[in-house]
Amino acid sequence: MNLKIKKGVPLIDQHDKNFMYGGKFGGNFIPETLKKPIDDLTKLFSKLRKDKKFLKDRDFYFKNYIGAPTPFIKLEKLTDYLGGAQIYAKVVSEANGGAHKIYNATVHCLIAKKAGKKFIVGDTGAGYAGKMLSMAAKKFGLKCKIFMGAKDIKRQRPNVEAMRKNGAEIVPVTTGSQTLVDAVSECMRYWVANCDTTHMCVGSTVGPNIFVKICAWSTAQISRELMIQVKDEFGKIPKKIKLLNCVGGGSSAMGFWNEFMDTDAEFIGIEAGGPKNSKLHAAPLTNGSKIGILHGSAQYVIQDSEGQIGRTESISAGLDYPGISSLHCFLKDTKRAKYTCASDEEALKAYQLVSKFENISPSLEPSHAFAEAIKLAPKLKSSEIIIVNSCGDSLKDKDIIKQKLGSYVR
Amino acid sequence: MKSKIAIAFENCKKENRPALITYTVAGDNTKNNSLKILNKISKHADILECGFPHNTPIADGGQIQGSSHRALKNGIKLKDVFQIVKKFKKINPSKPLILMGYFNLIYQSGESNFLNNCKKSGVDGLIIVDLPYPENKNFAKKCKKKGITFIQLLSPTTSKDRMRKIIKDSHEMLYYISMLSTTGGKLKVSPKKILKNYNKIKRINPKKNLVIGFGITDKTISSLKSANGLVVGSMLCKIITNSLKMRQNPVTKLDKVVYNLKRKII
């Protein structure tokens, strides 16, 4: 069967009655206890996204609290150095809190308020989703609990400190690999036991369908801004334009691409290839992983032949996830987006190069996307445009970078 | 023909007591021991639930996660699980055995292939934690065709309307989750309230065998004995964990514990 994307219909709504994209990705593979809370949330969200007052509130906070629009800049020196395509960056790391996770966190807090919930819980890998949720929870007067793998707590210290400062309780997850995958599981388990009083925010476009939807709907702000900025810069959408974005769960890429879905813009998603000489990676799309079920959703996922979820490895905690959004699986199978990966080493080099030449310093997640831009640009004509979503700042990675490169320069 | 599960419930009703249903994980702490455990406790338990472990469970508490982890560390595979069931059934042909687990393992092995293996090894029923109604309708039908009972779950969050639909499409056994919790949580709802909900469900269709699970231990089991069946799982997993810590034999330990559980509901 040839899968196709429908034009003029938001991608998040292109599912069937079982909430599956292309009949095989997504859905709600959840315990019975979560059926009702998820049904309730699904109904509430479909009402709210048509509610003018709610949209006004959202836009108010996006503008005045998160800070819209985030800058769109040309990376002149990097472009000159590489020769070839013109390289631009959408500096989403300028958003309040320093990453795109603030959009999803803010929307979830607004929804939690509407649902009359006083508690909010969330998972985090790199610590951004947790940091933003703790920030937004504080802003909206919700009590916040964050689940984070014990390994990630160690390697993402600055964000952990920020969460504590915001008054969130951090629950270290010591099961399994002690990274994002376990944090999401533990957070879902907590929600199973507390869904009557507590709202859950899944930190990326993963999990049961409604969380995929809410997250992608929230981060879409990035491409709404970018669309205007691109038209301002070029007068129209250029013919040859590539939008490069790292993908772990896939939330920033969905937001970065959403408004360009029906245009000629080319989408390239960059997964985490892991250490150069390691068999471990976090790139299910690049490496042809099979479809399986993880965290309530059918998706391409790293697993063994029995269906046990596989171990992953990446220098970037935010991409260190064995699965990938059902929306990206759909984009891959419809050939609307292409996916590749960058190794830990390539990401580090990209971080170094961009930080050296430009006024921005991408975190290790978008550095994966910059690595692809650096590979690609010299092969392209100067009339072609590459835009990279610089969706996080390197400051949170200073410990890792220091350890790997000997020093940290921003 | 009546299923072994249905017969087990009938026998318990004759004795005016609930069915005692145990849950242990296949391969915990070894393949051999888990088989020995099943053989031993089947003398006291009426129905045996046997978990096939998954390493990313979204509804299990610490105790069952621990058991699953031990089993997986020992290299348990689905084919071993079916071997354990087959060997158990050879000795205990009339004792109903239910497999319980997560859908991804079935998805990877293929629904039909999985059900054929169930049939061949003598599995009587299936509980799939993350395949809710109505998404499970087709799979439940396939089970029925093979003579395997698909056990639908009901929870305190299940609306009455939804309950009616689930019960209408259900087979002879239903599982009521006592409270909002992962497995092994402390019973945070009073037995009286649980039974009140239980009776509400029973009234929708009194013929269905309805069992209660989650949070049931030797402390709480007797207060719920008016139900058709009671499931004890995490407590048993915890006992395996503890006996391993104290270098005791988990098989004999579990035998005693299940015997005691049975005494509390007679």
Side-chain angles (χ1 to χ4, degrees), chain B residues 48-61:
Chain B
L48 300 168
E49 272 180 25
C50 182
F52 53 100
H54 184 40
N55 70 354
T56 318
I58 53 172
D60 282 315

Side-chain angles (χ1 to χ4, degrees), chain B residues 196-231:
Chain B
K196 203 176 146 199
N197 286 339
Y198 170 89
N199 288 325
K200 263 191 215 160
I201 304 168
K202 265 315 253 193
R203 274 198 291 276
I204 298 175
N205 186 344
K207 280 184 194 150
K208 302 277 181 182
N209 298 297
L210 180 60
V211 307
I212 305 175
F214 283 46
I216 299 180
T217 63
D218 53 347
K219 306 251 175 352
T220 49
I221 193 164
S222 58
S223 58
L224 293 164
K225 65 181 177 188
S226 60
N228 295 148
L230 297 166
V231 187

Side-chain angles (χ1 to χ4, degrees), chain A residues 62-319:
Chain A
F62 278 6
K63 182 157 182 271
N64 300 299
Y65 173 61
I66 295 177
T70 57
F72 173 59
I73 59 168
K74 183 165 184 196
L75 305 183
E76 300 271 8
K77 289 181 194 146
L78 189 68
T79 302
D80 287 349
Y81 172 77
L82 294 169
Q86 311 290 309
I87 306 174
Y88 286 77
K90 170 79 173 150
V91 194
V92 174
S93 58
E94 285 291 307
N96 190 11
H100 63 286
K101 298 286 186 196
I102 190 67
Y103 299 106
N104 188 41
T106 302
V107 168
H108 269 287
C109 286
L110 287 170
I111 294 173
K113 293 292 268 188
K114 290 276 179 194
K117 300 277 168 78
K118 292 193 172 64
F119 303 92
I120 193 159
V121 292
D123 58 78
T124 197
Y128 269 142
K131 178 185 166 189
M132 308 306 171
L133 191 62
S134 68
M135 258 172 66
K138 191 176 169 193
K139 164 106 187 148
F140 293 99
L142 296 159
K143 258 192 99 69
C144 178
K145 213 188 260 278
I146 302 292
F147 291 84
M148 186 171 190
K151 182 179 168 188
D152 290 339
I153 289 182
K154 273 190 210 131
R155 62 175 168 170
Q156 304 280 239
R157 208 165 36 92
N159 278 348
V160 173
E161 279 158 18
M163 281 182 257
R164 291 222 169 93
K165 251 186 224 157
N166 291 329
E169 182 193 340
I170 300 164
V171 185
V173 179
T174 53
T175 50
S177 59
Q178 314 196 356
T179 57
L180 179 57
V181 63
D182 310 292
V184 178
S185 301
E186 194 59 30
C187 186
M188 286 184 82
R189 287 191 282 260
Y190 181 86
W191 198 45
V192 170
N194 297 281
C195 56
D196 49 346
T197 57
T198 303
H199 179 81
M200 179 171 75
C201 165
V202 177
S204 188
T205 40
V206 298
N209 177 261
I210 186 60
F211 295 102
V212 174
K213 273 187 155 173
I214 293 174
C215 186
W217 186 81
S218 307
T219 53
Q221 173 68 13
I222 301 169
S223 52
R224 270 198 298 277
E225 294 172 9
L226 183 64
M227 184 59 102
I228 298 166
Q229 290 164 325
V230 162
K231 283 178 181 164
D232 275 355
E233 175 79 15
F234 305 104
K236 56 172 186 171
I237 303 169
K239 265 255 163 303
K240 299 239 169 180
I241 181 169
K242 292 179 169 45
L243 303 184
L244 271 56
N245 207 124
C246 60
V247 288
S251 61
S252 69
M254 275 321 303
F256 192 49
W257 296 344
N258 189 62
E259 299 298 308
F260 291 84
M261 204 55 69
D262 294 344
T263 71
D264 292 329
E266 201 182 312
F267 301 156
I268 303 174
I270 298 94
E271 297 184 301
K276 206 169 155 191
N277 294 314
S278 165
K279 274 188 188 145
L280 295 176
H281 57 86
L285 294 179
T286 310
N287 294 315
S289 299
K290 281 199 304 176
I291 300 175
I293 290 144
L294 174 64
H295 295 142
S297 168
Q299 60 198 279
Y300 290 116
V301 54
I302 297 167
Q303 57 183 329
D304 67 13
S305 59
E306 287 256 310
Q308 305 294 350
I309 303 306
R311 281 215 304 136
T312 57
E313 192 177 352
S314 168
I315 193 171
S316 115
L319 305 182

Side-chain angles (χ1 to χ4, degrees), chain A residues 48-64 110 114 217:
Chain A
L48 289 176
R49 64 192 275 214
K50 284 181 229 138
D51 181 339
K52 279 192 187 130
K53 168 82 176 45
F54 184 78
L55 293 176
K56 218 174 129 190
D57 278 357
R58 177 198 67 174
D59 292 341
F60 174 83
Y61 289 110
F62 278 6
K63 182 157 182 271
N64 300 299
L110 287 170
K114 290 276 179 194
W217 186 81

Side-chain angles (χ1 to χ4, degrees), chain A residues 245-410:
Chain A
N245 207 124
C246 60
V247 288
S251 61
S252 69
M254 275 321 303
F256 192 49
W257 296 344
N258 189 62
E259 299 298 308
F260 291 84
M261 204 55 69
D262 294 344
T263 71
D264 292 329
E266 201 182 312
F267 301 156
I268 303 174
I270 298 94
E271 297 184 301
K276 206 169 155 191
N277 294 314
S278 165
K279 274 188 188 145
L280 295 176
H281 57 86
L285 294 179
T286 310
N287 294 315
S289 299
K290 281 199 304 176
I291 300 175
I293 290 144
L294 174 64
H295 295 142
S297 168
Q299 60 198 279
Y300 290 116
V301 54
I302 297 167
Q303 57 183 329
D304 67 13
S305 59
E306 287 256 310
Q308 305 294 350
I309 303 306
R311 281 215 304 136
T312 57
E313 192 177 352
S314 168
I315 193 171
S316 115
L319 305 182
D320 203 352
Y321 186 69
I324 170 82
S325 176
S326 48
L327 292 170
H328 285 291
C329 298
F330 188 46
L331 289 179
K332 186 192 177 194
D333 274 23
T334 51
K335 300 194 170 69
R336 178 62 188 91
K338 272 193 269 182
Y339 296 86
T340 180
C341 69
S343 69
D344 285 2
E345 290 77 8
E346 289 170 318
L348 273 169
K349 253 190 210 152
Y351 144 78
Q352 259 180 322
L353 202 64
V354 176
S355 302
K356 184 177 133 195
F357 281 122
E358 301 293 341
N359 285 326
I360 58 167
S361 183
S363 67
L364 291 171
E365 287 82 14
S367 290
H368 283 72
F370 278 110
E372 179 65 16
I374 291 163
K375 260 188 249 174
L376 216 54
K379 298 179 201 159
L380 303 175
K381 290 194 198 108
S382 63
S383 58
E384 297 191 47
I385 312 293
I386 290 176
I387 308 175
V388 181
N389 181 0
S390 192
C391 55
D393 190 282
S394 69
L395 202 57
K396 76 163 178 67
D397 295 323
K398 68 172 181 218
D399 290 355
I400 304 168
I401 293 168
K402 237 192 228 164
Q403 190 211 338
K404 294 277 176 188
L405 301 175
S407 65
Y408 170 68
V409 194
R410 190 170 167 275

